[in-house]
Structures are given as structure tokens and as C-alpha cells.
Amino acid sequence: MSGTNATSGAAPCRFAHYFVICGIDTETGLEPDELAGENFEQSPLKRTFKSKVLAHYPENVEWNPFDQDAVNMLCMPKGLSFRTQADSREPQFHSFLITREDGSRTYGFVHTFYEEVTSPQICSAMQTLYQMHQAENPSSATPSSSSSSSMDSLASSLDEADPPSSSSCRSAACGGYDASRDTLYVSKALCLITPMPFMHGCRRFLSQMHRAVTAASPPPLPLESYVHNILYEVPLPPPGRSLKFHGVYEPIVCQRPGPGELPLADFPLGQTFTLLGIENLVQLFNCTLLEMQILLYSQDYQRLMTVAEGITTLLFPFQWQHVYVPILPASLLHFLDAPVPYLMGLQSKEGTDRSKLELPQEANLCFVDIDNHCIELPEDFPQFPNKPEFIQELSEVLLRYGISPVGGAPPTSSQQALRELEDDGRNGNLGGEQLAVLELLQGNTTLERLQALAKRTGVRVEALRGVGGEGEGQGGRTAVEEEELRNAKLNVQLREVFASRFTTMFADYEAFVIQSAPDLESWLTNREQMHNFDKASFLSDQPEPYLPFLSHFIETQMFATFIDNKIMSQWEEKEPLLRVFDGRIDKARLYNVRAPSLRSSNYQRCTVLKESAQAIEQRMMKIDHTAIHPHLLDMKIGQGKYEQGFFPKLQSDVLSVGPTNNKWSNRTATAQRRKDRHRQQTEHLTLDNDLKEVRTRHTVLPLHPLLFLWFHSILGKNLRQPKLSDLSPAVIAQTNWKFVEGLLKECRMKTKRMLVEKMGREAVELGHGEANITGLEENTLIASLCDLLERIWSHGLQVKQVCRDTHVHTHALNRNTHIHAHTLSLIRHIQSMGEIKTDVGRARAWIRLSLEKKLLSQHLKQLLSRQALTKKLYKRYAFLRCEEEKEQFLFHLLSLNTVDYFCFTSVFTTIMIPYRAVIIPIKKLSNAMTTSNPWVCVSGELGDSGVRQITKNILEMTFDCQNLGKLTTVQLGHDNSGLLAKWLVDCVMVRNEITGHTYKFPCGRWLGKGVDDGSLERVLIGELALPNADEDFGRGCRTPDMQHSPGQTRRVKPTSAQIQEAIGEAVNSICKHFHKPEKERGSLTILLCGEVGLVGALELFFHNGFKSARLFQKTVFVWDFVEKAVAYMESADQMGDMQETAEPMGLTCVSLCHYVSAINSSPRNIGKDGKFQLLVCLGARDRLLIQWLPLLVECPVIQRMYEESALLRDRTTVNALIAVLQTLHDFPITLEASLVKGIDL
């Protein structure tokens, strides 16, 4: 966050640390900048030359050492720029930041202008270079704009970013220079280095310094006085206070938020919304929260900085934890190849085609073209919750300030121009303040007389603005100050809308923080093994629409760091952002209890917009502190002489030290002591950093060592931070080697996390912590694995313009006959899927399918088996060319084969999949051939295949249909035609030909009239077969409980206690099913009709004591008892025996008779056991089971068909059963279509 780290108690109280001057060194002359991508085909005026730090004051600050290379590179990212009198030479402003090792930030603000070159040597050198250029390129009328390398196409000089004026376009296009007739100008930069981002104040100060140089008359005081004043005599404003200090010509006001307010952010958010548009900005904000790679692209350095700082400011209370480089110097463009999340800004060349940019990888890249107001988003990422309502609220705030939410408009909108026109007194109009004064005067006779007196005495009415009670100082504000106030109020209101969303979404986050360590040291020691946040419980507590976003977001490093800060706050002072956020949550609880809206997804608007803007305005209206005015210094006479148009050489002796009697300087010693303590604490954390997760806190450095801290957090070693100027091949090679180590460790940690979460109870027993994982979390982890594989495959890739993902190998390997045929068939199948449109989507589908088939490691090993191809496609330092690390990487992926994933089946739900079904009869006990016409209907969690006829006596078929998901049931039947119609079926096997998953549907029953229960159709419940089990079709397969009368095949009869326990377990499983999130429940059919389902348990209950086996008589089934009981009830009703029965009991009899009649009338031939199963399922769905049981118990038929000891004749046991079944009434049971097909109720 802007300024948060730098403004801790350890930060000194000075407003500015350094004043820097960068430009051309006349002693060394022109030095080409090779690192910036030199192109000698360009005109010398368009080339890049090295700049130097000409002077900086003071020489050094103890608490913020001066980094000359970094400041020079960021003050002039493209080096020196030359102009002639025919070119535009408008001054430019931009800002930058430097992140130090402890995570604190230093801000730089740069004013670049053009100064005439007076050195004859420089002019002569430029003349010679131009003549050489003409001799080498005689046919070129204009300088070439093409680049000689891919990095040249990304970079451009400052002169191409500034459009030339229309009057000089022709001369500028020629790019010519003649020392005898042209005046040569070179860029020079004035820079302020500050600990906090007071952008507007620094911009105004530097602008006034430049104005003092170009004015016709010298400034009131020597320039040294103003530089000395801002360096040593202007303090930082205290929190919650405003400060006024003086520039060369005008006073400057800045203000600082209070402890309970959002931290300082001075970059204009209104401009960010104008540049991108509200829709694009919200999408960019979403990508930033999910820690994707973000590349900003613009000709203007300040636009890059404004958008980068704006978007990171909106993250409150979270902070960007990865590489953060708002302005990437041309010499560091190779860092775009970094396989880590980053937020970088790249200057574009005017007229550069976006399609020609050769970016390292684009699978997870968010590309933001600021100048063209467009954004290119990654594939498949969740949307921010309540996005339409969120955009609507932001639009209302923007419209109140006259800014169009669409974006792409110039900075000054038509509404703003109209308001300025209305307020312009020269047009005869009265502005808002004047109009208020006029209304006040018209209503008061005394004031009217004062107005007349003022006119007679010549006093202007504008001097009486204070009469309206607007407060001291408001009438004295300039147009610039009014614009700053407007921007500040707009900034804080926009930020409050964003902060309000996080306050709503994470209002109860503290309840899910796991604080198990007794002290800080033990927590740091065991950090990697600990679970700090109960993610599963947190997600189960959130509204359904929020889950896709939140499940991804809570896996990010910024959220992990936020939770870490919360845990450590019990032992040390709270992190500033966390303190503000917790305070807001506590305040919200005082006014609004969260419990009633706990799982509500209703949008809650921000309620503090007015108060936040008022706090800003009050500080600006009433200045709390005024700094010491600039004054004459004890300077040598004759030095610092004014010369118009040239910035003088300042006297370093008066600027090297500050005053000793300044009260602000006395605070520095105390601040430095706090700084030392903070540094010691940081070093302590650094020593234990190897125990933290992959991307820990303190990560960003915007220079050559920008990835130093990422390495430190990944590897946990005492790395030597490279100097910015050290760009040798050895250092770059070492940097890329650290990338390889970091990627390997990240792979190890991701696969371990996936295994621990998936293994469930086994992982808990092994001491790995919580075992809960939902399908949503699983999908998030797999998407994260896909992202890691894409980064590994893109690291060090040579030919990025052809393919930028895992398919880089598959394109080449399609022609390789040595690769395993199965791997190629898998690749070609993915390529043939019309539902997937991009290479990135195909790569991720291939990864998911290989993981589901438990072949990911094997396939990747085959793809990497050709070392010659790998050497051709990848640079030497690439991860895939490091043999030892590559082997370890494949080993970690191999460990994922120990668990089952359905990550392809559950994601690609609309694709067509071929299925193969095989019916396996029991040949020893029945005919292997049948004269009837069999059919099947396969059902899964996503739908059913419809009835599919199977060719007679072949008993095998393959059919294509839309993805059915995990298979649950198979309906198997035949038409009973021919002489050999009776058929004893062992099981049905169904195989998904894409994923290889094989499901076994046990049967073990006859299908045919006059045999078994007379069924011609059965509903079979499936189970996932073990690998390679499709070849062993399980002879002697036992009949599952839910499909048959247990007495027929069961050798050991269960006891009464076992039966009651089975019923309790079945009901308990159904209750657990409905307590899970809807998307995580799986199949209810298995819980009802599966091996240990409710139907099977009730069959055991009804078969206890049932007189089913009779000598020389036909077998009797439970359904026979039900039919006889219903027949008795119907006959008793006709005879009038039930007329005296209570009305509810009579209605229950009617319902039971109606359901049994509807089942018997069904056109399906499902047999007697199938009918009983259907009656139980319908009774559970319609909450009628507990009403039917007493009727069956009271029916006299029970005495003839059940023994005295049967459970059904025990009133106590039946009452206990009714009480257990009563718990199912709380849940809406829905039955699969395959179960209730043909039933008309």
C-alpha cells in the first residue's frame, strides 16, 4: 500500500530525503546505452544515451542510503533525450518508487525539461554521428522505427512518447541535425525522493523550481534556499493533520489521513478510471486480487505509475506481495520472463502494434493497454462478487464528480468544462461561492448596506467571501488547490466503496483464524506445518454466489500474509492496515449485527462516503501546521548566479547538512532508534523465512534485484542482494537458477497440499491437520497446478510467438513416431474438442485429463524425452533443461496418482464423450445367448444417455452422448421375446473412453417372466471399479443389498441390533448429505439405493421374521405383503369397517393405496423388489413413510406373514424406527428420473 510501510513509527519526520539532478555529463560526453536495446538504424537524435546523476543533496541519509544507479535509471528510464528547436520540448512529470529489503517504500517524483546544450564537444559529436548515419543509410528518408530485436520492439525513448507539435512535425520526422543552423537541447531531470507519496505537493514544488529557471527575472531567493527548506525545514504532516509549506512562488498544502482512516494515496484515482473505464478497472482489480501476471502498457510513464499505484491502493486491507515495478527500465526487460506473479509497467512506442509484442507467457497474463483504453484478460477466472451492483455504486460516485464511467475520455470531461464555464466570472456568471454570498446578501438589509458601502469605497465583494461562513483559507484557494481538493475527495470516496466490499465479505474472518501456537517463536518454527485459517468452514459460511471468487482468493499470498499479520498481532503491534480494518469491523458490529445477513448475497452500499470527504475538506480548509519559510543561507558570493533557461550548479556545502536548532530534526534521533529496533525485528523474521510458505511477505524490489526477496522467501537462504549496476551474464544466470529452485519448491508444496487435502481422514491420522476439502477447493488447487505448469513450460522458452503454453511440445511431438501412441491419442482428442477455442484452454484440458487418468507424470516424461527438441525450444537456463530438478518435478507429480481426481469430468460438462457398455451374464446358471432384445440407459450426475438398444447376443455397445459426469445408475431390461428370454445377469460394466474410468453395476438377478421376482427391468447402482478391473468381471459377484430380497442370497442373517444400526447409519448419511454445500453433495441415489442405503436397511427390517420360503410353493416377497395389506384396507373400506377410523388415518390409507396402485400400473416391468424400492423412495420423498408404517403394523395380514418375533411386530422397535425416519422430513429429497420413470401420481 502506498506509504504504509514507509510511514511506520520508524520513519523519520522529514518531508523529503533527497533532491537530485540528472542529465548529461559534459566531461564523459555521449555514451550509448547498450542495455536499453540500441538500434543504430535510427537517427542519432532518436537513440538512447546514458544519463548521470549530476548532483544529489544531501550526500547521504543514514536511514535511507542513496542508490545512485537506481535513482538514475528511474529518473530517466530511457536515458538522455535530444531535441532541436523544431521539436516539442514540453516538460514532463512522472513518479517512481523503490522498495527496500525491509519492505518499506521510497517514492521519487521527477520533473523532466529540456536545456540547451552549450558544450561544443557534445554538439560536434552529435553532428558526427548524424553524418555517419547519413552515410550508412543514404536511401532512408526517415529514420527506421523498427527494432532489431524483440526487446527493442517493447522499448522506446522518451522522445517517441511525446508527440511533436504540428508546426514541427515535418522537421522532426526528418530527424536531421546541423550544428551550424540548429540548436541542440538535452533532457534534464529534477527529482525529489520522499518517504511518503505526496505526489501533488512534490509536483507543484518541482514545477515552481523549473519556472524559476525559465522566468525572465530571477526568483526571490537563490534556489539553494528552497532546496534547503524542503530538505531540512519542512516536516511530514502528523497523522490527521495538514501542513503548508512554501515553494518558489506559491504556498503548497498537503494533508495526511488520521490513524483510523484509509492510508495516504495521492495519485488521482479519477484519472485511472478515466483511462481504463470502470468495467476494465474492476476486471483489472479482480486479476490483481487473484495474483495474476499484470503488464501495464503506455507511452506515458506517469500513466503507468498512476494506474499501478491506483490499483494497489484499492486492495486495502490487503497488500500486493509479489514483484511490483510500475516503470520497468529498458535494461531490465528480460525480467518479463520471470515465472512469478508480477505487476509491471512497460513504456510503449508510438504506433507499435500490440500483436508484434513477444511476451514471455500469456496464459495467466492480464495485458492493460492504457492509451487505447482496453484490457486483455486471462482465461477462466471467477468474477468479483456482486459485480453489477458494485459497478453501479462506483458509477454514481464518478458521476457526482463529472467523470464518465465509460472511460476513454480526456481528463477534463464536458461536465467539468461546463462547470468551469458557469463559474467563470468573465462570462457574467456566479460560481457556487459567489452565488451563496449573493443569496445571503439579498436576505439581509444590514449586509446589503455593507455591500453598497463596499462599492462606494472600491472594496471588491470577492474579499467578503468569508461572510458565508466557509472558513478561513477557502476563499484563498487557487484553481490548482481546488482541483487537488476535488481529487482528494474523489480518491477517498472511491477507495471507501472498495474497502466497504471487503468489510462486508470478511466481517467474520476472525472466527476462522486458527491460533494454536503459544508464542511467536514456536509459530515461526512450525509455520509451514500449521493451518492458520479454517478455509472449509469459512467457505461454508459464505453466500453461494461468492464461493467461486473466495475459494480462489483465500489461496493467494496476500490473503495468507493478512492472516499471518493477524496471528502475529497477538505478540507484537498490529500492522497498520490490519489495525484500520479491524477497527472498521468493530465499528460495523456496533451498528449492525452481521448474523441476520450471514449467508445473504444482497449488496450492501458504503455508508461513510460523506464523512470521509468531509474529513479531507476540513483538513484542507483549516491548516494545522505551517513550515518555516525559505530564507537566505550563508552562501558564497558569486556562486549560483541566475542564467535564464539553465539550472545552476548548486552550492553543496550549504545543502549537505540541515539546521541544528530545528525542532523537526530533533525527532530524527528518536525515529532512528525506532528504526533500529524495527530492523532487528526484520532480521529475526528473515532468519526464519525458510519456514514460511512459497510467497511470503516482503517481496518486491523494482530494480535488477526485484526478485531478490522472492528468492529469499522461496529458498530461505542468506542470499546476497545483487547491485543494480551488476548486469553481468553470471548474475543473470544465477538469477535464473534461483528461479528454477523456486519453481521446484513451489511444485513440491502444491502437490503436498493437494495430497493432504484429498487424502482426508488418512492424512489427519498421519498428523497433517484438517482433512476437509470441497469440490470447489479442489478445483481451485488444480487450477493453481495448471498455472504452475504453464509457468514452468514458459520459463526460458525460445519461440514464444508460436505457442505460449504446455502445447509448445505437443505441436512438435505430433510428428514424432517414437512417442507413445496413447499420449498422442490423448493430445489429438483434446485438439479435436470444438468446445475449447484456445491453446491455453487445450493445455489446461490436457493437464486435467492426464491427472484424472493418473498419467500426468508419465505423459510429461514422454513429452520431455527428446532432449534435442528440448534444447532447440529452450534456453540453457530453462527449468526443463535442468535434469535433476526436472526429475524431482516429475516425481512430485507422480505422487498425485495415489488419489482420485475428476477434474476433467467435472469441468468440461458439455463435451461429447464415447461410452462403452458391456453386459456380463452368468453363463454357468443361464443361457449365454438370449432371444430377447436388451437395452440399457446410463445415468450420471449430469444427466442420462436415454434408452440405447444393444445388438442381440453381442451384449456390448459403444455410444456417444454429452458428458454424464460421475455415473450413478444403469437401467437394464429386455422385451421378453423369443424362447430364451430368461436371463441371469452378473453385472454391467460401463467405461468412459476418454477418462478411462470404468463403473461396475452389480446385478446377480434374473430378468424374465416366471423367474425370480418376475422383473424385466432393473435399476442397478454403480461403483467405480479399480484400475484394470474391467478385465476381471468378478465371477461369483454377490447381489447388492438394495436390488434383491436379502433372504435369497444372504447366508448369515443380521441380528436385530445390526439392522437397527444399519437404519441409523443410512439416515445419518442422508442428513450429512444435505448439510453439505449444494455443489458438494454428490449423488443422493446411492444413499437411498446403494449397498448401505436406506432401501437396503429397510429391506433388512421387513425381512426380519418374514415367512418367505415355503416348501413346494412359490417364493413370497415383501411386496406381496404390501399388496395384501393394501387389498385388505380397500376391502375393509368398501365394507365400512374403516368408516369409524380417525380422518388422518383414513387419508393415510388412501395415500398408501394410491401409491401402490400407481406403482403396479406403471408400464415398467421392474419386479417386486424393484417396486418395494420405489415405494420406499417415494415415501421418503413425500414424507409418508412414518404414516404408512403404523397401517402395515395394524393390518391383520401381518400375523399370517410374519413370525411373532419379527421386528415389524414389536411396537417399541417400530416407534423407534418412526422416530429415526422423522428426521428426514427436514430435507427436500429429490429422486433421479431413472427411479420414478413411468410413475403417474
Side-chain angles (χ1 to χ4, degrees), residues 266-326:
D266 208 25
F267 290 85
L269 278 176
Q271 183 180 353
T272 304
F273 277 86
T274 300
L275 290 170
L276 298 180
I278 190 168
E279 175 74 25
N280 287 339
L281 189 136
V282 171
Q283 292 285 53
L284 173 59
F285 174 70
N286 196 16
C287 291
T288 309
L289 286 172
L290 299 179
E291 296 186 339
M292 299 178 177
Q293 291 181 325
I294 298 170
L295 182 61
L296 309 178
Y297 193 62
S298 174
Q299 295 183 45
D300 191 332
Y301 289 128
Q302 185 59 15
R303 285 185 175 184
L304 295 173
M305 189 71 180
T306 298
V307 173
E309 278 294 286
I311 206 68
T312 53
T313 294
L314 297 176
L315 297 177
F316 170 88
F318 308 103
Q319 300 180 71
W320 180 257
Q321 296 295 313
H322 303 284
V323 179
Y324 180 60
V325 194

Side-chain angles (χ1 to χ4, degrees), residues 327-393:
I327 299 175
L328 184 65
S331 59
L332 304 182
L333 292 180
H334 57 281
F335 278 114
L336 287 175
D337 198 25
V340 294
Y342 59 68
L343 200 167
M344 298 191 192
L346 186 65
Q347 191 202 27
S348 64
K349 177 181 290 186
E350 187 176 5
T352 299
D353 186 1
R354 160 69 179 94
S355 62
K356 294 181 180 178
L357 295 180
E358 299 176 8
L359 300 176
Q361 59 169 316
E362 297 183 359
N364 202 35
L365 177 69
C366 175
F367 182 83
V368 185
D369 190 342
I370 299 174
D371 298 336
N372 292 317
H373 323 292
C374 63
I375 180 173
E376 298 175 17
L377 297 169
E379 297 182 13
D380 302 329
F381 68 95
Q383 295 298 315
F384 193 71
N386 298 116
K387 180 182 171 184
E389 297 89 347
F390 184 47
I391 289 179
Q392 177 62 31
E393 184 175 13

Side-chain angles (χ1 to χ4, degrees), residues 237-251:
R241 297 289 186 267
S242 56
L243 171 74
K244 180 170 73 174
F245 63 94
H246 292 78
V248 181
Y249 299 104
E250 300 165 354

